[in-house]
Amino acid sequence: MRNTRKRERVATGIYKRIDAKGEIIYDINFRDEFGKNKFLKVGRKSDGVTVAYCKQYRSKIINMKYLGEDVSNIRKKSSITFDDITEDYFEYVKYADFKEPQSFANRYRDHIKDSLGHLPVESITKNDINNLIMLLKDKNLAPATIDRIRQQVSATFNVAIGKEKCRNNPASVSRVDSSSLMRLNKKSINNARERYLSKDEANLLLSELKLRRFDVYFMALLALTTGARAGEILKIQYKDIDLENRYINLVETKNGSSRKIKITSKVYDILNEIEFESPNKYLFAGSKHDHLQAIPNIYSIIVGELFNSELDSRDTKHRVCFHTLRHTFASWLAINGTPIFTIQKLMGHKDINMTLRYAKLSPDAGVEAVNSLEEKFIE
């Protein structure tokens, strides 16, 4: 068995040693305010701890000592658990005004807490994260769902690092990450939706929605005819609507920049019947005069009845959801021969690669050009 106590000096006050599992551990050496020589474990190399970080951490402790701060109990941080830093993360989520903050709490309760909650944050390694991922795979969760859970764990560590409650993030995935399991999950995600509605399907959905709840029908009509996302539609205020020029200004979009969407005659007629109140009032207001936080459940119920009843709940490529309406808008544009750069602009895509997946639906406009070339130059 290796001697886990034997240290090798790698820089001033920085030492490394090999533990029983063969991993490199970094320690720092300093004298506390009583002149007592102390060694303090910083962390494992496999968790991203470097000599440069150790130097920075040691300098911080020495500065604390010179400022008269108590450094004798610096190990107390090891008692902080993942449950503790999760509370900080939830405060951050609340402060940052994330959409659907309850989903973060549900994700933690259902998938993270039992595996990590009781563990001291400084003891959590990438192996623990990989074990969590294996458990999630055993639950038959979709790869995208698993990675959202990993991202939440990673974000929790980042918040804790910012509050100086831990020193590294074992849930991060970087180019130098040697963990094949984490990289495999990262690479295997494919969220591209292939399902879009036919004309008959769209009209069937709209007629059902109109019959059962008009405001949800109007939301769906907006999405189908403008390509706006659910979050963008729910945040429309009266001041964003310009009936004279027939457009709506989407201020809070996913890519961070505003864009104007032209409205069709049906949308115009509905808006024209509404008595506009305060400019700051939301078009789809909730019970507290704020905007609705999500598309009402009646939409999911109806699309479930019409389209999803025989599909696996994990089949995100083919199940119809509210985002399918945006995908349908772009697909119809492509089928109608709209230039791909025009579709990009209407969809609000910053990256043309996001739009190119619709190119396969476009009629082959190049055929006519090639045929005319042959007629002109080939005898």
Side-chain angles (χ1 to χ4, degrees), residues 166-281:
C166 68
R167 296 185 289 268
N168 53 73
N169 181 355
S172 65
V173 176
S174 65
R175 287 177 295 179
V176 296
D177 184 5
S178 61
S179 170
S180 59
L181 179 59
M182 291 173 70
R183 293 173 71 87
L184 175 63
N185 275 280
K186 190 72 174 176
K187 288 181 178 180
S188 64
I189 296 167
N190 181 359
N191 277 335
R193 294 189 181 276
E194 296 181 355
R195 180 75 157 95
Y196 64 90
L197 301 181
S198 67
K199 177 182 176 181
D200 289 342
E201 287 176 327
N203 285 312
L204 174 62
L205 174 60
L206 289 174
S207 63
E208 284 292 322
L209 289 170
K210 191 174 185 179
L211 186 66
R212 294 163 74 170
R213 185 161 167 177
F214 188 84
D215 63 334
V216 182
Y217 155 77
F218 188 29
M219 294 174 194
L221 182 65
L222 274 170
L224 266 175
T225 58
T226 68
R229 301 175 178 90
E232 295 166 348
I233 290 172
L234 294 177
K235 291 183 179 179
I236 295 173
Q237 295 174 283
Y238 287 136
K239 64 183 178 183
D240 302 324
I241 302 169
D242 186 339
L243 286 180
E244 182 178 351
N245 295 300
R246 298 200 174 205
Y247 72 79
I248 297 173
N249 187 32
L250 300 180
V251 179
E252 297 185 46
T253 66
K254 184 178 180 180
N255 65 24
S257 58
S258 63
R259 78 175 188 276
K260 293 179 180 179
I261 53 173
K262 299 296 289 185
I263 57 176
T264 61
S265 297
K266 280 190 176 182
V267 171
Y268 174 85
D269 290 341
I270 294 171
L271 289 173
N272 203 35
E273 292 294 320
I274 296 174
E275 292 186 13
F276 284 26
E277 301 175 20
S278 167
N280 292 322
K281 184 175 180 180

Side-chain angles (χ1 to χ4, degrees), residues 134-187:
M134 288 296 292
L135 288 173
L136 298 174
K137 291 180 73 175
D138 289 342
K139 292 182 180 180
N140 292 321
L141 297 180
T145 301
I146 292 174
D147 198 62
R148 275 195 294 272
I149 294 168
R150 183 202 60 78
Q151 288 176 20
Q152 179 167 325
V153 173
S154 180
T156 302
F157 273 107
N158 287 337
V159 170
I161 290 170
K163 289 180 172 289
E164 299 186 352
K165 292 187 176 181
C166 68
R167 296 185 289 268
N168 53 73
N169 181 355
S172 65
V173 176
S174 65
R175 287 177 295 179
V176 296
D177 184 5
S178 61
S179 170
S180 59
L181 179 59
M182 291 173 70
R183 293 173 71 87
L184 175 63
N185 275 280
K186 190 72 174 176
K187 288 181 178 180

Side-chain angles (χ1 to χ4, degrees), residues 110-125:
D110 296 339
H111 303 301
I112 302 171
K113 183 176 175 62
D114 287 347
S115 296
L116 301 179
H118 62 288
L119 297 177
V121 291
E122 295 290 9
S123 73
I124 298 175
T125 68

Side-chain angles (χ1 to χ4, degrees), residues 319-370:
R319 289 180 68 83
V320 174
C321 63
F322 196 84
H323 198 75
T324 304
L325 306 181
R326 172 175 163 83
H327 186 52
T328 299
F329 169 75
S331 300
W332 285 356
L333 288 173
I335 291 169
N336 202 42
T338 307
I340 201 71
F341 288 106
T342 302
I343 298 176
Q344 179 190 15
K345 181 179 179 180
L346 292 171
M347 292 289 282
H349 287 156
K350 279 192 172 181
D351 186 350
I352 188 63
N353 289 316
M354 293 289 293
T355 320
L356 285 175
R357 61 176 169 153
Y358 299 105
K360 63 184 180 182
L361 298 172
S362 298
D364 195 353
V367 171
E368 185 178 343
V370 171

